[in-house]
Amino acid sequence: MGTRDQLVDSARELLWERGYVGTSPKAIQQRAGAGQGSMYHHFTGKKDLALAAVRRSAEELLAAADTQLRSPGTAVERITAYLRREREVLRGCPIGRLTQDPDIVADPVLRAPVDETFAHLRARLAEVLGEGRDAGELPATLDPIALAATIVAVLQGGYVLARAANSPEPFDQAVSGVLALLTTR
């Protein structure tokens, strides 16, 4: 792994742990084992590096989601696989946690990949839900767009509840609850 990738990965981890304000260029450099010159050789500054880190986190999150949502099986099986996949629940969502960071939310450039990630995820879930509805697996009256938004909201809320309780149990309960909505007719 090159210095640029080490810097991006270090920034990703620190953003996930500390948020934007709590992540200093010095901390990123120390974690990456890179000097200040290396950082500024690859990035114009903290914001540029943070943007690369957020984009990489978004790409990984969407790739993991697509693995389950594009796999063989019924719509409910694929969504179940997505919701039940292994996660670091107590750390929260690496993208969702950024929405709690006022500097990320206030900056349209830093916020853009967060918005795009959630929009892509909602669209992909809506597509799978629509397939399930069209195949007769889910009720004909189902609104795929609204239910996709609900699923994303339940996941993000589940992370918050789990962190507040310092236990993955509230997250697991939220996932079980939304899955019950999919399988109850």
Side-chain angles (χ1 to χ4, degrees):
M1 179 183 319
T3 303
R4 184 182 195 288
D5 287 331
Q6 289 173 314
L7 287 163
V8 171
D9 285 344
S10 295
R12 287 178 59 212
E13 286 296 315
L14 288 166
L15 286 170
W16 197 4
E17 292 168 16
R18 304 177 184 179
Y20 186 77
V21 172
T23 299
S24 69
K26 184 176 179 104
I28 296 168
Q29 293 160 20
Q30 287 176 335
R31 187 168 287 195
Q36 184 176 15
S38 294
M39 181 176 151
Y40 291 103
H41 171 74
H42 294 288
F43 302 97
T44 59
K46 177 182 171 180
K47 180 177 173 178
D48 188 35
L49 174 52
L51 183 60
V54 172
R55 284 188 175 139
R56 185 168 298 165
S57 290
E59 289 167 8
E60 286 190 13
L61 184 143
L62 292 174
D66 279 346
T67 296
Q68 280 86 34
L69 296 174
R70 295 191 187 280
S71 64
T74 66
V76 171
E77 289 169 344
R78 291 181 284 154
I79 290 172
T80 299
Y82 167 67
L83 292 173
R84 295 275 188 215
R85 76 174 170 81
E86 190 172 322
R87 302 166 192 268
E88 294 185 63
V89 174
L90 295 182
R91 288 186 74 191
C93 173
I95 296 297
R97 287 200 55 193
L98 297 174
T99 64
Q100 299 169 22
D101 192 312
D103 288 331
I104 297 280
V105 173
D107 188 316
V109 173
L110 291 173
R111 190 181 65 244
V114 175
D115 292 340
E116 292 161 8
T117 300
F118 285 130
H120 178 88
L121 186 55
R122 287 190 313 270
R124 186 69 190 105
L125 284 163
E127 184 181 320
V128 173
L129 291 163
E131 291 169 11
R133 181 194 60 199
D134 295 346
E137 177 188 355
L138 297 168
T141 57
L142 177 106
D143 180 346
I145 293 170
L147 187 51
T150 300
I151 290 170
V152 173
V154 165
L155 273 179
Q156 294 304 312
Y159 281 121
V160 170
L161 294 173
R163 286 178 54 82
N166 197 31
S167 167
E169 187 176 350
F171 180 90
D172 295 338
Q173 289 171 335
V175 166
S176 293
V178 80
L179 288 173
L181 293 174
L182 290 176
T183 56
T184 304
R185 286 191 155 227

